[in-house]
Amino acid sequence: MKRLLPHIAAALVAVQLLIIFVSWLLSAAYPTSELRSLLSSEGLRWFFGQFNMFLSRPLLVDLLLLSMAWGVLRKSGMLSYRSSYRESRARMMTLFLLAVYIGVLLLLTVIPHAVLLSATGHLWPSPFSRSIVSVVAFTVLSLSAFYGTIAGYFNTIADVYHAVLYGIREGAPLLLFYVLLMQIVESLHFVCPSLLAIP
């Protein structure tokens, strides 16, 4: 699969170039239509002026946080079951900490007038629902770091730090494909606004 990733990335770049060329061709052939060219002055101003804006979405932050959590989870030893005393103790202590996390989240979301509910008292949408991926990533990361420390997989803070960086390295292809796909989606939306319009 990893050998295919560079070819998929190259194919997405080719799709973007094709969109640029086709948008120029169609806008020239049908000047009265709603189609806009990415090579026009308007298109170039849009692309250079809005590039950062259409990449800066919550999904990008979610991918980064989940990558970091995945790295610590992988390196913590939680995924490899061993029946040693140290790991059994680490599992029990981590389950207790998870129960504490769940209890705190329930207090913040379930009771009437809870802090993380919406202004109308609903859970969806609410501050909690908007941050659910961040909450999951933080929970996995902190529980994994706790387990790895108790079980002996992490002996120093540097071990946790390198586990976080490992997750970012493992998730780097997701970040690249996010950039490429968002560029394609936003370009299509610019060329033909009604194409991706939500009814």
Side-chain angles (χ1 to χ4, degrees):
M1 181 63 182
K2 286 188 176 181
R3 291 184 178 181
L4 285 176
L5 293 180
H7 300 291
I8 297 172
L12 291 175
V13 172
V15 168
Q16 176 64 36
L17 294 175
L18 185 63
I19 292 170
I20 293 171
F21 175 73
V22 170
S23 72
W24 169 75
L25 197 63
L26 291 177
S27 65
Y30 304 101
T32 58
S33 69
E34 68 170 353
L35 297 173
R36 295 184 289 182
S37 170
L38 286 166
L39 291 178
S40 65
S41 57
E42 180 192 12
L44 291 173
R45 280 196 302 270
W46 169 83
F47 188 81
F48 284 96
Q50 299 295 319
F51 187 78
N52 289 345
M53 294 298 294
F54 62 69
L55 288 183
S56 57
R57 302 286 175 88
L59 180 58
L60 179 60
V61 179
D62 292 344
L63 288 174
L64 187 59
L65 291 175
L66 290 173
S67 296
M68 295 190 307
W70 172 248
V72 180
L73 179 64
R74 281 284 304 273
K75 294 293 185 179
S76 69
M78 283 183 75
L79 299 178
S80 58
Y81 183 83
R82 292 192 179 94
S83 57
S84 67
Y85 169 75
R86 190 168 186 177
E87 296 207 11
S88 298
R89 185 182 62 168
R91 269 191 294 276
M92 293 302 297
M93 293 175 72
T94 304
L95 286 173
F96 174 76
L97 186 59
L98 175 62
V100 171
Y101 276 20
I102 292 172
V104 170
L105 284 176
L106 288 175
L107 289 174
L108 292 173
T109 56
V110 173
I111 62 173
H113 310 294
V115 176
L116 295 182
L117 292 177
S118 67
T120 57
H122 294 93
L123 189 60
W124 205 278
S126 68
F128 175 75
S129 66
R130 287 193 294 272
S131 65
I132 187 69
V133 176
S134 303
V135 169
V136 169
F138 172 77
T139 302
V140 170
L141 193 152
S142 57
L143 290 178
S144 300
F146 179 78
Y147 177 91
T149 302
I150 302 299
Y153 289 94
F154 300 140
N155 297 312
T156 64
I157 193 69
D159 293 335
V160 180
Y161 170 79
H162 290 301
V164 170
L165 292 186
Y166 168 80
I168 294 174
R169 285 194 299 272
E170 287 289 300
L174 294 176
L175 301 178
L176 172 63
F177 288 116
Y178 168 84
V179 171
L180 296 174
L181 286 170
M182 285 304 297
Q183 186 174 302
I184 289 172
V185 169
E186 291 294 333
S187 295
L188 286 171
H189 183 66
F190 173 83
V191 171
C192 184
S194 63
L195 183 65
L196 299 175
I198 299 173

